[in-house]
Amino acid sequence: MSAMPTVSTVGTRPSDRGYYTDSAFGCTIVATDPSDRPDLWERFLDGAHRSYVHHDVFSALDYDVIRDGSTTSLFFCAIDPAGRMLAGARLQGPYSDARQTHADSEWRSHPDGRTRLRRMVNDRLSEGVVELKTGWVDGAAPRTSKLADMIGYAGPLGCLLLDARYALVTAADHVLSMWQDAGAVVALDVEPASYPDDRYRTRALWWDTRSFRDVAAPDHVRRMDNASRQLVRTRAVSERPHLAPSGAIS
């Protein structure tokens, strides 16, 4: 058996940060990476840890694997005006082999689905494949903020910053609509996986940056396009922006 390819983020992370605001979130959404903002990365990990423990899916976090930041090419975090981090999502890739995806390990007990998923990934590698992982919202976030949408937006926005056409995500049946509203499409040819355990039927979904707008909810398309324009403007800023009145992330 050949060795599992390692995932390297060298040369794949965006050279500059970006950020955007969305009135529904009531937060500034910062896009960065662990080596550039280790302070925000530590807070991201703390928030993810609390959320995954609260929802009894801590094993899916792979905390000991991701904590050093080496497998994370980019992460988004939502910072409110008081400087609190209320939500986050991270991305891996771009990949060079289907076996590098986290999804590959999620389908280890479903060999037919794993084979189909590997084929789908490999067919897309030449145009860039990234993977969205570790989405969380703090329990203290106001429900009206709809910060779960931010996680869905991280798929196509991550493609923008990492120069990839496709984003892969895996999700349980009960939250599929969140991803679909943001333009992700279920891979119907791939059987559901029992991941992280038998309580869940987890499916693979794809964003294609050339077509996701055709299937996403119109309001979400408008908001994601607005976020994209802001990220393009701000990612070239070399100095860290003063994002919160408190100066918490200046």
Side-chain angles (χ1 to χ4, degrees):
M1 180 180 296
S2 60
M4 176 71 72
T6 58
V7 180
S8 173
T9 64
V10 176
T12 65
R13 68 180 182 87
S15 58
D16 299 291
R17 290 175 299 279
Y19 60 95
Y20 72 92
T21 60
D22 183 311
S23 60
F25 299 152
C27 290
T28 296
I29 312 302
V30 181
T32 186
D33 66 82
S35 63
D36 189 44
R37 292 302 303 268
D39 55 329
L40 293 183
W41 178 242
E42 286 299 318
R43 294 170 64 189
F44 177 98
L45 289 173
D46 288 344
H49 189 287
R50 289 193 303 272
S51 179
Y52 277 60
V53 168
H54 175 74
H55 292 288
D56 193 24
V57 288
F58 181 67
S59 62
L61 180 57
D62 285 343
Y63 185 80
D64 290 338
V65 174
I66 71 170
R67 66 183 304 176
D68 69 359
S70 63
T71 61
T72 297
S73 305
L74 175 73
F75 69 97
F76 292 86
C77 54
I79 310 294
D80 76 0
R84 298 177 302 173
M85 185 179 293
L86 295 182
R90 69 182 188 92
L91 290 102
Q92 302 185 163
Y95 293 123
S96 59
D97 190 291
R99 292 171 295 169
Q100 294 173 323
T101 70
H102 191 275
D104 191 69
S105 64
E106 296 173 27
W107 264 262
R108 66 165 64 92
S109 299
H110 304 270
D112 290 343
R114 192 183 207 185
T115 297
R116 293 189 183 96
L117 185 56
R118 282 184 178 180
R119 186 179 303 120
M120 295 183 80
V121 175
N122 282 327
D123 286 347
R124 291 164 169 77
L125 288 177
S126 63
E127 296 185 89
V129 172
V130 296
E131 186 176 19
L132 180 59
K133 299 300 298 178
T134 319
W136 59 273
V137 176
D138 193 284
R143 288 183 177 272
T144 56
S145 67
K146 300 181 180 178
L147 277 168
D149 290 343
M150 185 222 77
I151 304 171
Y153 296 176
L157 295 179
C159 286
L160 170 71
L161 294 176
L162 295 171
D163 194 24
R165 176 176 173 180
Y166 299 99
L168 171 66
V169 71
T170 63
D173 279 344
H174 70 281
V175 293
L176 289 183
S177 62
M178 179 181 75
W179 308 105
Q180 292 170 319
D181 285 346
V185 177
V186 177
L188 296 176
D189 291 343
V190 179
E191 65 180 291
S194 302
Y195 180 84
D197 55 53
D198 290 339
R199 293 173 297 169
Y200 299 95
R201 284 167 48 87
T202 291
R203 298 185 182 269
L205 302 93
W206 287 98
W207 282 277
D208 179 345
T209 56
R210 296 184 185 174
S211 61
F212 79 92
R213 292 174 180 82
D214 297 333
V215 295
D219 180 58
H220 290 263
V221 172
R222 177 185 60 78
R223 292 165 64 193
M224 284 187 282
D225 283 346
N226 183 43
S228 296
R229 288 189 290 269
Q230 293 184 61
L231 285 168
V232 168
R233 285 200 308 268
T234 62
R235 65 177 168 173
V237 177
S238 59
E239 296 296 326
R240 293 177 179 174
H242 183 83
L243 298 173
S246 65
I249 55 174
S250 61

